[in-house]
Amino acid sequence: MKILVCLKQIPDPEVAPRDFRLDENNLIADPASAGLVTNIFCENALETALQLKEAAGGEITVLTFGPAEAEDVLRKALAVRADHAVHVINPGLLHPGSSGAACVLSAAIRKLGSFDLLMFGREAGDWGEGQTAGLVAEHLGLPFVAFVDSLQTTESGLHIVGQTDSGREELTAAGPVVVSITNSDANVPRIPKTRDIMMAHRRDITTWSLEDIDLTEDLVREAAGSVEVTELFIPEKDTTCEFITGDSADERIDAFARRIVDVIGSI
Amino acid sequence: MGNVISCFLPGTEFDRAAQGLLGAAARLASACQVPHVALAACVSDTMTEALERHADRVVCIRSGLLSNDHPESCLAAFHAACASLDAQTVLLGQDARSQEMTPRLGYRLGGCSIGDAQSIDMTDGGLSVRRSVYGGKAVAVVRASRTPAVVWIRARAFEPAAERSDSVQTEILDVEISDGIAATQVTGRQEESRTGVRLEDAPVIVSGGRGLGGPEPFEELKKLAGVMKAEVAASRAACDAGWVPPGLQVGQTGKKVAPELYLAIAISGASQHLMGITDARVIAAINTDAEAPIFRHCQFGLVDDWKNVVGPLTERIASLLQ
């Protein structure tokens, strides 16, 4: 089975709000205010792919679109034993967005050949729209299933289990399919072995420019231009917490209880 | 100018999310002075009647192949219908299938797609959407440069629409679907076992975090939730530790909730968690640390150890509510 996993590098979502800053000219997070990490849902996708490969055989290609630093997410993927890594270099587009990313990723996928399964994270921890996987499915004319948390190969094709609003849904896909992976107990990312981390640094990464995949900056900009970021700001906190006071614990609990009952009564 | 279309996928019921979606679409349509068309497929008669009381037009898609078991045919049907209805803006709800369909529908209609909208406005330059980014640490405003804009919204956080004085008559739209029917097929569904309402629909939530220290305290939270007629939820730390099932997790990697009251107990308020509660109307917290980030999002709070508070608080609320 040929599996493709798309990975995205994002500013570390765990950075504390007090350290988080924006680059207001470019309408992005200030690159100096947060370290860069692999998006967690992408790591869940890679973990799911690794388990599927262990169960059913096959090979895993990881693909990213990003600046030179994004090579790091590919090295980390190679360290947990992804088979091939492909890096399409972002020449400096600040807001490729889902549409621009989908345009680039699908062009790279076409060049890479056919895959049985194309995996994405459910959404990214930076802009978090969860649109890219569905858009890639459209570019490539493939079916799509979102919020998937487990996959198995069967004789009739892929058995896919996804999370729904009220529980879980099982699907089958006869041919190639695009899925977006959500987190579950079963796909917590593994920790690479030290030796594999060292080995990963020696592995080859295929590096492509936009021209290598028959695109140009203008074409990607045009795709990305379907939406435009017009503002980005850190919201002012308009709530000031009223700390419940009182001379004794009983008084404070009574006052707190009354506030709660007031809110419940207003529903 | 085209229509504002609200989409109700197979199986949608007239719950808070559907009401919020109708409200958002009705207000946008009214601001743009265009009709609001509610577009539905495979929904109950009750749902159809509710749509007839809230939209300017109600269109039900009819197709032999259309059902909730064929996601690809569902997309093809809504695409064909939106294309024939002169869509200016297409709004979908927050349910998993709507989220899944949004980018694909936008692509097929030759427009654009935006996810997770917290507010929507029509400006001179096009539809403008406000949304939370960077794990809730920033807010972005994005504008749709291509029409139709297909957008899924945090439906439960939008005000419901006013009912019409009259009711419109549902129109049936026959749609031919030819492609992709068997590409994926739903072969089974399991409903999560739960006793109360879904967390996403709960008006009151009592939530516990790492500071509780183990599974037993959640029994106390359940008692408190019982008297408050609330649902119990948890932070990622409490779920990851195995104290409660993962289905109770609220946050970026869990459920996004929109209750009238969210009571956070022993939750510090990592941005990951706050991301899941931005649509709550009132947030209150009990925490030993007055500097905990959760308090920056609270209307009122109590600085104390949950161990001293939860028992007496349960009794006090029970007697006040009697």
Side-chain angles (χ1 to χ4, degrees):
Chain A
M1 165 171 261
K2 284 187 73 182
I3 305 171
L4 178 91
V5 184
C6 288
L7 303 171
K8 183 180 186 187
Q9 188 179 55
I10 61 167
D12 188 350
E14 304 289 336
V15 67
R18 65 174 174 277
D19 297 328
F20 181 79
R21 285 183 305 279
L22 296 173
D23 173 346
E24 280 162 13
N25 294 324
N26 291 315
L27 301 178
I28 53 168
D30 179 353
S33 79
L36 294 168
V37 296
T38 309
N39 176 38
I40 177 67
F41 293 113
C42 297
E43 292 193 302
N44 295 132
L46 178 58
E47 177 58 39
T48 308
L50 291 163
Q51 290 176 18
L52 194 60
K53 180 190 159 180
E54 281 155 10
E59 55 176 34
I60 299 172
T61 302
V62 288
L63 168 65
T64 196
F65 170 55
E69 305 89 78
E71 181 184 319
D72 197 40
V73 304
L74 298 177
R75 293 281 169 209
K76 282 183 183 142
L78 290 170
V80 289
R81 307 246 176 136
D83 299 287
H84 312 286
V86 182
H87 186 177
V88 182
I89 303 283
N90 180 342
L93 296 160
L94 289 168
H95 287 282
S98 320
S99 311
C103 161
V104 171
L105 294 171
S106 31
I109 294 164
R110 275 195 206 98
K111 178 155 174 158
L112 285 166
S114 62
F115 291 92
D116 302 300
L117 175 62
L118 299 94
M119 302 171 80
F120 292 75
R122 178 184 102 185
E123 64 188 53
D126 51 0
W127 284 73
E129 280 192 276
Q131 307 267 303
T132 309
L135 289 171
V136 168
E138 288 302 304
H139 275 275
L140 300 173
L142 293 174
F144 172 53
V145 186
F147 305 107
V148 171
D149 70 6
S150 84
L151 290 153
Q152 274 180 309
T153 52
T154 66
E155 279 176 16
S156 54
L158 266 176
H159 178 76
I160 302 168
V161 184
Q163 296 179 3
T164 65
D165 300 277
S166 55
R168 289 152 74 83
E169 194 169 74
E170 292 174 39
L171 300 98
T172 54
V177 61
V178 178
V179 297
S180 79
I181 299 288
T182 189
N183 55 320
S184 77
D185 295 350
N187 65 18
V188 177
R190 64 189 66 189
I191 311 287
K193 297 188 182 75
T194 313
R195 185 172 172 276
D196 288 337
I197 296 174
M198 314 257 287
M199 295 291 283
H201 281 280
R202 285 182 229 151
R203 300 271 301 279
D204 287 335
I205 289 178
T206 304
T207 303
W208 285 336
S209 66
L210 292 179
E211 286 69 26
D212 288 332
I213 51 174
D214 301 323
L215 287 175
T216 61
E217 245 183 272
D218 282 347
L219 283 169
V220 181
R221 205 170 268 126
E222 191 192 322
S226 66
V227 293
E228 184 192 352
V229 180
T230 55
E231 286 177 62
L232 182 69
F233 56 93
I234 292 176
E236 301 252 336
K237 291 280 164 288
D238 53 1
T239 51
T240 318
C241 180
E242 177 196 341
F243 286 106
I244 305 292
T245 54
D247 292 335
S248 66
D250 281 350
E251 260 185 59
R252 287 192 295 273
I253 290 170
D254 179 64
F256 193 76
R258 285 176 189 279
R259 291 297 303 272
I260 295 228
V261 168
D262 282 350
V263 179
I264 293 176
S266 71
I267 297 172
Chain B
M1 277 294 278
N3 296 302
V4 171
I5 299 176
S6 54
C7 294
F8 299 89
L9 273 43
T12 308
E13 284 167 36
F14 191 59
D15 55 12
R16 180 65 183 83
Q19 292 164 28
L21 179 54
L22 282 168
R27 284 187 296 276
L28 183 68
S30 148
C32 303
Q33 297 177 308
V34 300
H36 165 208
V37 183
L39 178 63
C42 307
V43 297
S44 66
D45 291 345
T46 324
M47 181 66 188
T48 314
E49 285 157 22
L51 296 177
E52 288 170 352
R53 293 194 306 271
H54 289 89
D56 300 318
R57 276 176 75 189
V58 178
V59 176
C60 260
I61 305 176
R62 187 167 63 186
S63 165
L65 294 162
L66 181 60
S67 80
N68 202 9
D69 290 339
H70 292 110
E72 300 295 321
S73 65
C74 186
L75 169 64
F78 274 84
H79 166 230
C82 287
S84 75
L85 286 169
D86 186 19
Q88 168 227 73
T89 307
V90 181
L91 298 182
L92 292 97
Q94 195 170 3
D95 56 284
R97 188 77 88 218
S98 291
Q99 290 190 32
E100 178 182 283
M101 222 165 86
T102 294
R104 309 182 74 190
L105 194 53
Y107 184 94
R108 288 191 191 188
L109 289 167
C112 67
S113 61
I114 300 172
D116 200 13
Q118 283 165 306
S119 74
I120 47 172
D121 288 297
M122 189 53 77
T123 64
D124 293 341
L127 188 78
S128 185
V129 169
R130 184 176 278 242
R131 51 189 309 276
S132 201
V133 295
Y134 295 114
K137 288 191 276 288
V139 171
V141 180
V142 293
R143 193 169 56 205
S145 323
R146 263 174 229 157
T147 55
V150 181
V151 184
W152 74 260
I153 65 169
R154 290 201 183 182
R156 286 178 201 87
F158 285 76
E159 282 296 309
E163 274 199 28
R164 302 170 61 92
S165 50
D166 57 341
S167 223
V168 296
Q169 185 78 40
T170 295
E171 305 156 43
I172 302 293
L173 180 67
D174 283 299
V175 165
E176 289 283 324
I177 319 165
S178 53
D179 59 336
I181 300 309
T184 56
Q185 201 159 344
V186 177
T187 54
R189 282 198 180 89
Q190 298 110 39
E191 300 296 307
E192 220 166 54
S193 63
R194 59 166 197 272
T195 44
V197 293
R198 300 184 324 138
L199 273 182
E200 292 93 327
D201 295 327
V204 185
I205 293 176
V206 172
S207 192
R210 190 199 302 272
L212 292 176
E216 299 82 12
F218 274 94
E219 295 306 316
E220 286 199 51
L221 257 56
K222 278 182 202 158
K223 284 186 203 143
L224 174 60
V227 304
M228 291 169 64
K229 297 201 172 48
E231 297 303 311
V232 172
S235 71
R236 188 171 77 184
C239 295
D240 283 356
W243 302 341
V244 286
L248 296 190
Q249 192 195 131
V250 166
Q252 189 174 22
T253 53
K255 302 207 156 83
K256 296 185 174 98
V257 297
E260 296 292 316
L261 172 63
Y262 187 85
L263 176 55
I265 301 178
I267 290 178
S268 65
S271 57
Q272 197 293 128
H273 186 73
L274 297 171
M275 191 72 177
I277 58 173
T278 44
D279 296 330
R281 186 169 69 84
V282 175
I283 299 172
I286 301 168
N287 203 297
T288 48
D289 178 7
E291 298 295 312
I294 188 81
F295 284 126
R296 290 204 290 272
H297 301 263
C298 281
Q299 269 79 353
F300 58 101
L302 186 59
V303 181
D304 204 339
D305 193 331
W306 67 271
K307 290 193 198 91
N308 307 328
V309 175
V310 173
L313 183 66
T314 307
E315 284 173 26
R316 197 70 199 100
I317 292 175
S319 72
L320 285 169
L321 284 172
Q322 252 171 19

